[in-house]
Structures are given as C-alpha cells and as structure tokens.
Amino acid sequence: MAEDSLTPQVGSLLAEAGRSDSGFRVAPLEAGGNNRVYSVWSGSEHFAAKWYFHDPTDRRDRLGAEYGFLAHAWRCGLRCVPQPYASDPEAHLALYAFVEGARPAAAEVDRALVLEAAQFFARLNAVESRAQAVSLPMASEACFSTAEHLQMVDQRIGRLDAIAPEPGVHTEARHFVARLAEQWVGAKAAILAASANPAGVLPQASRCLSPSDFGFHNALRRPDGALCFIDFEYAGWDDPAKAIGDFFAHPGVPVPRRHYEDFLRVACAPFPDPESTAARARMLEPVFRVKWCCIILNEFLPDAARRRRFADPAADSVVRKRRQLAKARALFDTLTPNS
C-alpha cells in the first residue's frame, strides 16, 4: 500500500469502528523504529492509525500480534493499554485510541513506577487472563528452556558476523562484537553450571503472556499520572524470565537494578511457584543483557536497515549506527553481577 492511499483505508477503519468516515484528518506522527504511526481526528475523537512494516524476509505478523494482544487485554478489563478499534490485515493497518502523554524520563523511574509496571504484568498473567489467552500466538523469539535461551544468544551473536568489514563505525562494531562474544562464553558456562536441566521445557502453567519489548521506552505517562503501555507487535506466550530480563536490560529508559527484587515479588506472584519463577529469572538475567547488546547492533544488518528506512526515510544511517554502538557499549558495562 502506498502512503497516498492511506487516507481511504483509514476511512474504512473508522467506518468499521462505527465512526464517521467523512471529514476526518490524518497527520503523520514522529517516526518509530519499525512502523509508521498517524494521528487521526474524527469529530472530537482522537485515534492513532498504525501502518506496520512488512517484508518477505520478515514473517512476523506484527499487526496480528499487537491487535490480538490488545483485544485480549481489554476483554480482561485492563485499561493501561490503548483500546483497539479496527484492523485491516491486508493493508497492514490498524486503528487504536490515541494516548495522550509523554514517555517517562530515566530520572522519573522510581520504585512506585516500577511496581506499577509489575502490577500490569501480574494482572495480565492472572490465572483467568492466561486461561482466556490460549489462542494467542507465541511471542517473537519465545524460549521455553534454558538451552533455547542460550541458543538464541548464540545465533544473535553469529548473525553479527554479517556486519560489513568497512572502515569507520562498522570496524568499531566488529571489534565490539568480538569482546561481547568473549564475555558470553563465560556467562553461558556459568548458567549451564547453575541449571539442573538446561533442556527441560517450561510447563504451560509456568509460561507467561508477555507484552514483549516491555519497558518504560514503550510507556506513556497520561496527564493524570497513570502509565499506559504501548507497542505489542512482538507479544505472546513466553518464559516469564525473558519478560523480566528484557524489562531490566532494555536500554531505552534504563530501570535501576535496585528495584529488581521488588519487581520480581509482584511479577512472579500469579505463577504456581513464584519462588522458582524468580530464581529462574535471576539465573537467566545475563542472557538478556547480552541479547540486547546484539539487538541494539541490528542497526548494522540489512533487514533492520530496511525497517528503519520504512519508518523514517530521512534518518541518517551513520549517525544512528554510532548512537546504537554507544548504547551497546553502555549496556555491556552492566554485564557484571549487581551492576
């Protein structure tokens, strides 16, 4: 779908949502990392239209994952996420409520905010919610055994071998990847030594409904101060250890490690054996810090570059790569315990 055909498609979604499809206004919002988002006004109502990236090399159903997750959350009474109104899978387009607010700054991330996020995760994973979510898909890159988590990082580090051996920032990135791979050897050995059964598969009752890419980088603070969580295109069933590890490893809006145990206490409560779930999260924590170092460096790989060009064609790729390499280096410095 070309951008000039977006307006009539948005009109169709408004009609499907029971709103007027005449006299509405569409305006682009700030570019995201993978998709394009538009502000839509219809009378006095404000919506967000999200046009999802799609490519033959990327088989993720980004729209289906996000829309299905939000529909489930709303059925369960959760209102700290945008309301879904209508979707058009063929056009890769969906209509949601527009959320007024601003992303929390790193300095605002205190214990109360961390507990608010933990409570959202816990309510999402209440027994009743999980029972009603059986038809939702697996999360992107879901892992259900220690061995799968380790293999996932091995593969991500291996993919970074494809960084072009070009002078400048590419060479710097390749040198960094070599250091990261060396650090990973030691971390992986420690996890294998601590795991009683690396190949053991997590039972369904101990799996979570994960927002994926979960953190304050994907949250807005509404005018009343409450958080609203956004961006669920990777959501689905996963290991709670991964959801928790990602929450603390993501570099977008860093979460202080001193709040880790408070978060664990609330987030693990809905599962059959909260202490075992928390212990698994602690053991696997280094996995997600190394993984996020790799994800940050995806900027240097061709597939990610195509998504970035789709989301923001005017972006300077060299500037972005330097920024991402700096983030990866900063996260690498937290890989020692209790950083």
Side-chain angles (χ1 to χ4, degrees):
M1 181 178 69
E3 192 164 63
D4 57 7
S5 66
L6 185 74
T7 298
Q9 296 286 350
V10 170
S12 297
L13 291 180
L14 284 168
E16 185 180 335
R19 270 63 176 182
S20 172
D21 59 352
S22 62
F24 63 90
R25 306 190 307 277
V26 179
L29 294 171
E30 183 179 350
N34 298 314
N35 312 296
R36 299 183 191 179
V37 184
Y38 299 84
S39 176
V40 180
W41 282 99
S42 177
S44 61
E45 289 190 281
H46 198 182
F47 302 90
K50 191 168 184 179
W51 186 17
Y52 293 82
F53 174 82
H54 60 100
D55 185 274
T57 64
D58 185 349
R59 297 185 179 181
R60 292 185 180 97
D61 181 5
R62 297 170 184 271
L63 186 158
E66 180 158 42
Y67 198 88
F69 176 90
L70 287 172
H72 170 76
W74 269 75
R75 283 194 300 271
C76 291
L78 287 165
R79 296 296 181 262
C80 55
V81 295
Q83 182 174 2
Y85 282 103
S87 70
D88 182 345
E90 289 188 8
H92 308 284
L93 190 69
L95 188 72
Y96 304 102
F98 186 89
V99 179
E100 300 284 354
R103 187 172 72 174
E108 297 177 69
V109 178
D110 57 10
R111 181 175 181 272
L113 216 62
V114 170
L115 288 178
E116 189 173 348
Q119 287 157 3
F120 163 58
F121 181 82
R123 289 182 62 197
L124 182 64
N125 282 286
V127 173
E128 299 83 0
S129 171
R130 283 185 289 149
Q132 296 172 32
V134 291
S135 64
L136 292 184
M138 298 299 168
S140 178
E141 210 171 38
C143 296
F144 298 110
S145 72
T146 296
E148 285 181 322
H149 286 295
L150 301 180
Q151 183 182 38
M152 175 265 296
V153 175
D154 286 340
Q155 290 172 345
R156 281 195 171 275
I157 290 177
R159 285 202 292 270
L160 293 175
D161 285 341
I163 295 175
E166 300 172 1
V169 69
H170 280 242
T171 295
E172 293 175 39
R174 289 178 66 87
H175 288 162
F176 173 79
V177 171
R179 290 176 58 214
L180 181 65
E182 182 179 356
Q183 176 78 25
W184 173 237
V185 169
K188 180 179 176 180
I191 291 168
L192 284 170
S195 177
N197 181 14
V201 177
L202 200 65
Q204 181 63 44
S206 297
R207 299 179 184 187
C208 76
L209 189 55
S210 174
S212 291
D213 205 11
F214 177 38
F216 296 115
H217 63 292
N218 277 334
L220 298 173
R221 208 164 195 174
R222 288 172 160 145
D224 64 2
L227 288 175
C228 182
F229 297 93
I230 60 173
D231 285 351
F232 302 104
E233 62 192 72
Y234 302 112
W237 289 100
D238 213 333
D239 184 341
K242 181 162 165 276
I244 294 164
D246 284 348
F247 182 81
F248 280 87
H250 196 288
V253 180
V255 181
R257 183 62 173 68
R258 63 181 176 274
H259 302 310
Y260 188 81
E261 291 299 323
D262 284 334
F263 186 95
L264 277 188
R265 175 176 49 80
V266 175
C268 296
F271 299 99
D273 186 348
E275 280 304 315
S276 176
T277 300
R280 180 180 176 83
R282 294 185 195 101
M283 179 185 72
L284 291 172
E285 187 181 6
V287 167
F288 309 109
R289 295 190 179 227
V290 175
K291 180 191 80 169
W292 274 101
C293 286
C294 295
I295 290 173
I296 292 165
L297 295 179
N298 278 348
E299 194 67 35
F300 290 83
L301 301 179
D303 287 352
R306 282 195 293 273
R307 294 198 303 274
R308 300 298 185 253
R309 283 196 298 271
F310 171 81
D312 187 5
D316 185 318
S317 64
V318 174
V319 169
R320 188 174 181 98
K321 285 172 182 175
R322 287 210 170 274
R323 185 166 61 241
Q324 294 300 98
L325 181 56
K327 288 180 183 178
R329 285 170 169 159
L331 182 56
F332 179 84
D333 290 339
T334 73
L335 289 174
T336 53
N338 300 318
S339 294

